[in-house]
Amino acid sequence: METKLLKANEESIKLACDLLKSGEVVAVPTETVYGLAGDATSSSAIKKIFEAKGRPADNPLIVHIGNIEMLDGIVSEFNNDAKKLADAFWPGPLTIIMPRGEKICKETSAGLDSVGVRMPSNEIARKIINLSGVAFSAPSANLSGKPSPTTAEDVFADMNGRIPLIIDGGESDAGVESTVISVLENTPIILRPGIVTKEEIEKVLNKEVKVAKEVTEGVKADSIVRSPGMKYKHYAPNAKVTIVKSSLEKFVEFVNLNKKENTLVMCFEGEEKLMPVSALSYGKKDDPKSQAHNLFAVLRELDKNHAEQVFVRCPDTTGISLAVYNRLIRSAGFNIIEF
Ligand code: TXA
Ligand code: MG
């Protein structure tokens, strides 16, 4: 299959709408990462998404809507917590898990009774949904296991030959995927951290919110978890990645002791010169938004540099940093050292 890579404009957006309406899969920009979109109500379209990504069939997809009326039939209940969250954070990078509506095909929700929904704030994504009238399911547009794509070129590297069209809308803003929160129970629970933080959510709901333990811990492949996506190795470059929790001085000492020929370091901006091997910065130490924005691009850069061993400076674990930490420990296969 030939894969077209087109800049977002009236013509390419119309083509994307036509493809979606005819049950095809299209890669589209969102404010978080690029998504692989297909009609959420069509089993055959969703099967194509799973096939293009090589994604395990038990991992459900997020449904993207363009306006609040679209929720009708997509969810069977829109409870008070969900309403408050939608009011506060939509359009934007928050996915709310709600009871599944009758329109959603079983492949989208991987057979679960629930469905994750979000309204993206990216103008191009919104336009495609509203012009086509298609609420689309979209996972991140990477091959399963690889870092999520934050540029159309990254999508092309993974999806060339697998899908008919990629819409280029420039670099993704946030750089990490949406926060996923379930409001199915009385105490809402964050299943995946993102740019919308636990603290912001608690303020809006005016009650305590839990964070699933899988967010900061490894999960065995055969275990049952609330968010199936969390049990798979994820975001992984080819290199062996190790996260090193230590001071800057100790980190440099650790790299000196353990460096080999193709060792690379992922550090914070300004620290590169201090490192005894080649170093890539993934953002400013005290600016987790910049880390989130750069993280996946830097993980992909490691492969382009043929890194075999990578040592990473450990980010914080609160606020937006939790999203960065959650992705990093997965890219490292939970390989974390305190030094
Ligand atoms: O920012 C995003 O959310 C991006 C863009 C494209 O919108 N999409 C994305 O989709 O990250 P994906 O498929 O890569 O990740 C979806 C995550 C997975 O961890 C999945 O297990 C979880 O959401 N999820 C989806 N539906 C769920 C459900 N009904 N219950 C629990 N977890 C669910
Ligand atoms: Mg993904």
Side-chain angles (χ1 to χ4, degrees):
M1 180 188 302
E2 194 215 339
T3 302
K4 283 193 183 133
L5 173 56
L6 301 177
K7 289 252 180 282
N9 56 35
E10 212 173 301
E11 207 178 323
S12 63
I13 286 175
K14 178 164 186 313
L15 180 58
C17 291
D18 291 343
L19 285 166
L20 276 177
K21 284 192 277 188
S22 63
E24 291 301 326
V25 171
V26 181
V28 298
T30 85
E31 72 278 20
T32 56
V33 299
Y34 275 73
L36 211 50
D39 182 345
T41 65
S42 160
S43 290
S44 67
I46 303 309
K47 279 182 186 154
K48 287 179 194 167
I49 294 179
F50 279 90
E51 210 176 284
K53 272 188 71 98
R55 181 177 177 110
D58 70 348
N59 193 3
L61 307 184
I62 293 167
V63 178
H64 297 65
I65 58 171
N67 54 70
I68 210 79
E69 289 72 38
M70 266 188 171
L71 271 184
D72 195 26
I74 288 181
V75 299
S76 61
E77 196 194 327
F78 189 39
N79 71 19
N80 269 332
D81 283 347
K83 277 189 192 130
K84 283 186 196 163
L85 292 174
D87 263 358
F89 300 110
W90 283 0
L94 181 75
T95 296
I96 310 174
I97 310 286
M98 294 177 266
R100 179 164 69 98
E102 79 278 3
K103 283 189 191 161
I104 296 301
C105 69
K106 67 173 194 305
E107 286 76 11
T108 282
S109 54
L112 299 175
D113 297 332
S114 60
V115 62
V117 184
R118 82 178 190 95
M119 189 191 292
S121 61
N122 179 285
E123 288 299 327
I124 300 161
R126 297 274 298 287
K127 226 178 227 171
I128 291 173
I129 302 169
N130 288 329
L131 283 177
S132 65
V134 175
F136 62 67
S137 304
S140 48
N142 51 287
L143 286 174
S144 211
K146 288 285 159 196
S148 301
T150 53
T151 64
E153 289 75 26
D154 289 347
V155 178
F156 191 80
D158 280 13
M159 289 297 148
N160 184 20
R162 295 171 174 264
I163 56 172
L165 176 63
I166 300 166
I167 298 287
D168 183 354
E171 242 179 67
S172 304
D173 193 21
V176 291
E177 308 88 341
S178 60
T179 304
V180 177
I181 186 164
S182 166
V183 296
L184 297 175
E185 283 153 42
N186 219 343
T187 303
I189 177 163
I190 293 176
L191 304 178
R192 182 176 70 183
I195 296 293
V196 176
T197 63
K198 174 180 189 277
E199 294 75 15
E200 288 174 299
I201 291 172
E202 284 181 332
K203 217 169 168 185
V204 165
L205 295 181
N206 199 17
K207 65 177 172 186
E208 196 209 342
V209 167
K210 285 191 281 191
V211 176
K213 71 175 191 330
E214 295 87 14
V215 164
T216 51
E217 285 175 19
V219 183
K220 290 199 191 80
D222 57 357
S223 58
I224 296 169
V225 293
R226 267 180 271 239
S227 188
M230 279 197 284
K231 72 185 179 195
Y232 295 105
K233 185 172 175 187
H234 226 135
Y235 317 121
N238 296 325
K240 180 175 193 283
V241 178
T242 305
I243 297 169
V244 184
K245 274 189 187 168
S246 70
S247 65
L248 174 59
E249 291 71 26
K250 286 289 226 178
F251 184 88
V252 173
E253 187 187 334
F254 179 88
V255 177
N256 260 321
L257 286 172
N258 293 284
K259 67 181 186 220
K260 293 188 212 152
E261 203 175 317
N262 287 322
T263 299
L264 242 83
V265 154
M266 273 173 68
C267 61
F268 299 119
E269 204 178 294
E271 297 175 352
E272 297 94 324
K273 303 180 295 298
L274 304 172
M275 297 299 160
V277 297
S278 298
L280 298 172
S281 146
Y282 71 99
K284 296 196 181 85
K285 188 169 190 301
D286 298 317
D287 180 4
K289 259 197 179 164
S290 74
Q291 297 164 22
H293 180 81
N294 296 323
L295 181 67
F296 288 138
V298 173
L299 286 172
R300 281 179 179 258
E301 198 64 27
L302 297 174
D303 282 347
K304 292 176 199 154
N305 282 288
H306 308 289
E308 282 170 20
Q309 173 176 262
V310 178
F311 298 127
V312 187
R313 290 268 283 137
C314 190
D316 289 336
T317 53
T318 54
I320 293 177
S321 293
L322 183 62
V324 176
Y325 181 74
N326 169 268
R327 305 320 187 266
L328 264 177
I329 58 177
R330 281 168 173 75
S331 73
F334 304 98
N335 189 16
I336 308 165
I337 287 176
E338 269 193 63
F339 184 71

